[in-house]
Amino acid sequence: MGNVAVIGAQWGDEGKGKIVDWLSERADVVVRFQGGHNAGHTLVVGNVEYKLSLLPSGVVRPGKLSIIGNGVVVDPWALLDEIDAIRAKGIDVNPQNLRLADNAALILPSHGALDRAREEWLSDSKIGTTGRGIGPAYEDKVGRRAVRVCDLADPAALEQRVDQLLLHHNALLRGLDKSEVGRNELLARLREIAPRILPYAAPVWRLLDDARRKGRRVLFEGAQGAMLDVDHGTYPYVTSSNTLAGQAAAGSGIAPGTVGFVLGITKAYTSRLSSKTRSAASSASAAGSSVSSPDANGAAAGSTRWQCGRRSRQVASTGLR
């Protein structure tokens, strides 16, 4: 019984959620390993609809361990809102069935402010981001100035991290003629939310290694799609993380050989809509014209037919039968 990584083979929106939901019934552990709360999918279990962005699909299945890996950038406020929304529908989410990598980078309000300010400044040349701060958060992670989940447990380290971060962010915001982010207010918000986030924090690589040793089945849940990979996609109109199967290992802290079977999901056509064409699509829709369905992750237009029959048959040959 092998592990499986589910990856979008196009620009996202291939219907991965349906496949992941089906496979999650057979998995013991479900892992998100990249992206932020810009991507997600809707699951329907019974007659109940669940909208997930950060939470792995396993969270709606009893007896599953869901893990948010170190490759994900996490908006802690968005995460708690999503947990509250799922709880309101009768799902018990707690530190026993949901774990968050203690070394995952956080998305802070200054990331969103910077993301939106840059898109506004770029005007017609903008990438078309969601404006939620995901790209800037990945930049800070690589720039070694990110605030990570574990920093919430160390008040002195948290202050130092925030100071380093705002030195960079506020300089950029000033240059873009936007208001700076206040240090004291940001620290107060982080201190307030820390007691709610830290119970979920854990060295998830250790949990996954333990699961491997015990022969448990792990499902790695990809977000977006291969053509949005920051290295191998349609650069620069891509997302800010690696979306390919190899990231399942680096983004969760396990060895590459642990990933196992890779399942690429395609649909019979591809579609994506850029920020440049959204207004045109809105006008066409208002006029009753047919337009491609939007993809919130980037730009470039057009529709290409794909054959997806073979991919559909591959689902039955995965290790999580």
Side-chain angles (χ1 to χ4, degrees):
M1 306 293 283
N3 300 331
V4 178
V6 178
I7 306 297
Q10 296 160 308
W11 280 277
D13 196 28
E14 303 95 349
K16 295 186 297 297
K18 298 180 180 65
I19 304 301
V20 166
D21 182 40
W22 181 73
L23 290 174
S24 67
E25 294 184 70
R26 297 151 178 81
D28 300 303
V29 184
V30 184
V31 185
R32 270 287 309 275
F33 58 85
Q34 50 81 212
H37 62 307
N38 57 337
H41 49 257
T42 300
L43 302 179
V44 179
V45 180
N47 295 318
V48 183
E49 182 179 89
Y50 304 98
K51 294 185 180 295
L52 306 179
S53 290
L54 280 170
L55 293 175
S57 297
V59 78
V60 303
R61 302 283 182 186
K64 313 294 182 183
L65 174 61
S66 293
I67 289 178
I68 300 174
N70 56 273
V72 180
V73 286
V74 180
D75 182 324
W77 296 275
L79 176 59
L80 291 176
D81 286 345
E82 194 171 329
I83 290 173
D84 290 342
I86 293 296
R87 281 177 174 163
K89 295 188 176 185
I91 299 296
D92 182 25
V93 182
N94 58 67
Q96 281 67 54
N97 62 11
L98 174 66
R99 302 303 271 172
L100 169 63
D102 56 4
N103 57 339
L106 296 178
I107 300 175
L108 306 183
S110 57
H111 289 116
L114 184 56
D115 197 357
R116 294 185 293 272
R118 291 197 303 203
E119 287 285 277
E120 181 182 335
W121 184 83
L122 287 169
S123 186
D124 290 342
S125 300
K126 62 186 177 182
I127 299 296
T129 74
T130 58
R132 296 176 180 175
I134 294 159
Y138 273 115
E139 291 176 34
D140 287 336
K141 177 179 178 178
V142 175
R144 296 167 292 186
R145 55 180 171 266
V147 176
R148 303 194 298 174
V149 173
C150 55
D151 294 323
L152 296 176
D154 187 336
L158 181 62
E159 289 192 17
Q160 183 181 23
R161 292 288 189 188
V162 166
D163 286 342
Q164 292 173 350
L165 195 71
L166 291 184
L167 177 67
H168 180 73
H169 285 191
N170 283 336
L172 291 172
L173 288 169
R174 285 195 301 271
L176 294 167
D177 199 26
K178 297 296 180 181
S179 300
E180 296 184 22
V181 174
R183 173 187 186 271
N184 293 337
E185 179 184 356
L186 178 55
L187 280 170
R189 292 190 64 185
L190 289 170
R191 289 168 182 147
E192 179 184 16
I193 206 170
R196 298 185 63 193
I197 291 291
L198 287 173
Y200 297 98
V204 301
W205 63 268
R206 186 175 295 160
L207 298 176
L208 287 168
D209 186 60
D210 184 59
R212 178 188 64 82
R213 293 173 186 274
K214 293 178 179 178
R216 293 178 178 170
R217 293 168 292 185
V218 182
L219 174 62
F220 298 94
E221 179 180 353
Q224 291 108 13
M227 296 303 292
L228 290 169
D229 186 276
V230 69
D231 288 310
H232 305 289
T234 50
Y235 192 90
Y237 302 105
V238 292
T239 193
S240 302
S241 59
N242 291 109
T243 60
L244 304 183
Q247 180 62 18
S252 57
I254 48 89
T258 305
V259 174
F261 187 89
V262 178
L263 178 62
I265 307 298
T266 67
K267 58 186 177 183
Y269 63 94
T270 62
S271 60
R272 62 183 301 187
L273 198 63
S274 72
S275 57
K276 293 181 179 180
T277 58
R278 283 194 183 108
S279 58
S282 298
S283 299
S285 180
S289 302
S290 176
V291 295
S292 298
S293 60
D295 188 302
N297 294 295
S303 179
T304 305
R305 297 249 171 224
W306 286 66
Q307 299 246 342
C308 63
R310 190 177 73 162
R311 294 292 188 183
S312 298
R313 289 196 296 273
Q314 282 184 339
V315 174
S317 68
T318 65
L320 294 179
R321 288 180 290 181

